[in-house]
Amino acid sequence: MTKRAAALFRDHFGDSTGAVVARAPGRVNLIGEHTDYNDGFVLPTIIDRDIEVVARKRSDRLVRIVAADLGERREIDLDSPIDYANSGWLPYVMGVVHELVQRGRIEVGVDVIFRGTVPRGAGLSSSAALEVATALALDTVFNLWLNPIEMARLCRDVEHRYAGVRCGIMDQFASRLGRSDHALLIDCRSLEARHVPMALDGHRMVIVDSGIRRELADSAYNQRRTECEEAVALLREADASITSLRDVTPEMILGHENLLPPDLFARCRHVVSENHRVLEACERLANDDLPAFGRLMKASHLSLRNDFEVSHPALDRLVEEAHQVDGVLGARLTGAGFGGCTVNLMTEAALPDFEQQLEPLVDDWPTQSIVVGTPEQARVTEVIP
Ligand code: GLA
């Protein structure tokens, strides 16, 4: 980011007095996919790509938003109906504003400008970073004192109500609460979380973007969630204590195989086994057993490909090629799937061979490969006097 945020704001809105600058990072999920909306466990970490938002209060009911990187601008009256269908980034910013209005926390409009470095639609949570950065900025602008978990929940609700994606809480939680050099173990039922130190001494975590894009709102994502709910309804016929797939043990699904059609059985098997992998991966990480961590990543990919069926041939290829390289400990698709990125754990020495092996498979190397470094956590960076 070159130009200072305050100067950018002034370029568009004339004056930046009283504006607040906040930023929030994207995330990569190390393991625990499609478990969050099943009340399960996830293990993401933040990345050194983020979204920066500058916001300032207005005295009327107008909201003006500039997407600086895209050269786009919208003006919205808080009292007029808004059509969010096919409206790009609008739901993520305006949804946060709207949600705060609905909850009676704010009554006037705002001027907002945002820009960022999280690639869009790549499964690295650019939308969550935009929501969280917006919420953080508005939190200070209006002295709301939202606690971090409340803020993550609000941003998750924005996805459901304004973007039409029935996602879990992982992305918003990770963007708001993630810390550099740590993975974040989140229990998505209790919302308890633990920062697990990630000492990658002599190792690297590398993200590779397949370049394949698929919108979550019109993808099979919501359908997968519905399938999981259908499976729970069927399993409850045998055991009423089951309220989500979190409650299902491996023994239970094996015992109830006849209750479920084969595709729902496979979906359950993924979620149940993935929850176990997350907890084991956490232990392995805490004990610096990275080879075992890598094996769990590999198993997770196979389960997502075969049982949850959210992979894509391009992602499978990237994962297979990664495993051809000596020193690669594990590779898997990350995020919702259907496209987006893979995450790869390797020894530092393996990095040049890894790059050579994967470069021919993606169009725009090296911009499509991100080595996880020491990202900055979400925070308000400036209050302009
Ligand atoms: C998307 C959703 C998350 C989560 C992942 C899959 O990133 O936003 O809530 O469900 O997919 O693990």
Side-chain angles (χ1 to χ4, degrees):
M1 301 212 174
T2 44
K3 193 164 200 170
R4 287 197 49 234
L8 192 70
F9 189 89
R10 271 196 302 277
D11 288 351
H12 288 271
F13 300 118
D15 169 36
S16 61
T17 312
V20 173
V21 188
R23 59 207 306 166
R27 66 95 190 94
V28 62
N29 191 19
L30 304 179
I31 195 160
E33 224 63 84
H34 292 274
T35 44
D36 60 353
Y37 55 81
N38 288 302
D39 279 352
F41 300 100
V42 292
L43 190 68
T45 188
I46 54 173
I47 59 172
D48 20 19
R49 301 287 172 101
D50 57 17
I51 306 277
E52 187 174 45
V53 167
V54 192
R56 185 188 51 184
K57 193 192 287 195
R58 294 178 58 86
S59 51
D60 56 14
R61 304 266 294 170
L62 193 64
V63 178
R64 300 189 295 181
I65 311 169
V66 171
D69 301 322
L70 304 169
E72 292 173 8
R73 183 181 169 117
R74 295 284 304 261
E75 287 202 11
I76 285 153
D77 184 339
L78 275 179
D79 300 310
S80 310
I82 303 170
D83 181 9
Y84 283 107
N86 301 317
S87 56
W89 47 265
L90 187 69
Y92 310 124
V93 181
M94 200 52 213
V96 173
V97 176
H98 235 137
E99 210 39 45
L100 290 170
V101 171
Q102 296 267 311
R103 295 175 189 202
R105 304 301 302 270
I106 66 179
E107 288 175 350
V108 292
V110 278
D111 288 334
V112 179
I113 187 161
F114 71 90
R115 61 182 174 181
T117 54
V118 190
R120 269 172 298 135
L124 300 176
S125 297
S126 59
S127 61
L130 179 52
E131 290 149 5
V132 170
T134 304
L136 268 174
L138 297 183
D139 188 60
T140 298
V141 166
F142 291 99
N143 286 317
L144 303 176
W145 298 99
L146 293 172
N147 80 43
I149 293 181
E150 210 180 334
M151 190 179 287
R153 274 183 152 141
L154 181 140
C155 293
R156 188 265 325 265
D157 293 348
V158 164
E159 293 275 349
H160 289 206
R161 294 179 188 152
Y162 305 90
V165 180
R166 293 178 63 220
C167 63
I169 198 157
M170 167 171 67
D171 305 347
Q172 293 75 17
F173 202 110
S175 178
R176 177 64 189 87
L177 286 109
R179 277 191 212 152
S180 174
D181 300 324
H182 288 76
L184 186 61
L185 172 66
I186 310 168
D187 176 337
C188 299
R189 170 171 272 170
S190 66
L191 296 189
E192 277 163 1
R194 181 155 63 89
H195 292 277
V196 186
M198 199 165 68
L200 290 182
D201 286 343
H203 291 79
R204 287 278 179 268
M205 198 66 86
V206 184
I207 301 162
V208 175
D209 186 351
S210 69
I212 311 276
R213 296 287 181 264
R214 195 158 163 187
E215 290 292 325
L216 285 192
D218 49 49
S219 76
Y221 182 87
N222 287 342
Q223 184 201 333
R224 287 293 179 282
R225 183 164 180 161
T226 305
E227 286 169 354
C228 291
E229 288 163 357
E230 281 167 14
V232 169
L234 290 171
L235 289 168
R236 277 176 67 81
E237 288 173 15
D239 183 342
S241 71
I242 297 173
T243 59
S244 75
L245 290 184
R246 162 72 174 271
D247 300 320
V248 179
T249 62
E251 299 71 40
M252 269 179 187
I253 48 166
L254 291 176
H256 296 322
E257 190 169 354
N258 55 340
L259 280 181
L260 299 171
D263 56 338
L264 292 191
F265 178 75
R267 305 291 186 256
C268 284
R269 188 165 51 193
H270 165 71
V271 175
V272 173
S273 62
E274 186 81 347
N275 275 329
H276 279 260
R277 280 188 288 271
V278 175
L279 296 178
E280 195 184 334
C282 233
E283 244 167 69
R284 302 297 188 170
L285 195 59
N287 297 327
D288 291 338
D289 186 353
L290 294 180
F293 190 93
R295 285 194 292 277
L296 292 162
M297 291 171 75
K298 196 171 180 175
S300 168
H301 183 81
L302 292 177
S303 178
L304 286 160
R305 187 190 75 183
N306 302 335
D307 278 350
F308 217 67
E309 296 185 88
V310 292
S311 193
H312 182 282
L315 295 170
D316 293 338
R317 181 87 199 278
L318 286 172
V319 166
E320 276 155 29
E321 293 293 325
H323 281 129
Q324 301 301 314
V325 179
D326 263 358
V328 169
L329 304 179
R332 57 182 289 277
L333 73 84
T334 183
F338 315 111
C341 294
T342 62
V343 58
N344 307 265
L345 176 63
M346 67 198 70
T347 61
E348 206 169 298
L351 192 56
D353 288 347
F354 175 82
E355 289 180 341
Q356 205 176 16
Q357 184 89 8
L358 270 74
E359 183 173 351
L361 302 181
V362 298
D363 283 344
D364 192 13
W365 199 279
T367 57
Q368 291 194 205
S369 106
I370 304 171
V371 179
V372 177
T374 44
E376 280 187 57
Q377 66 192 70
R379 64 196 176 95
V380 168
T381 54
E382 202 180 345
V383 179
I384 300 163

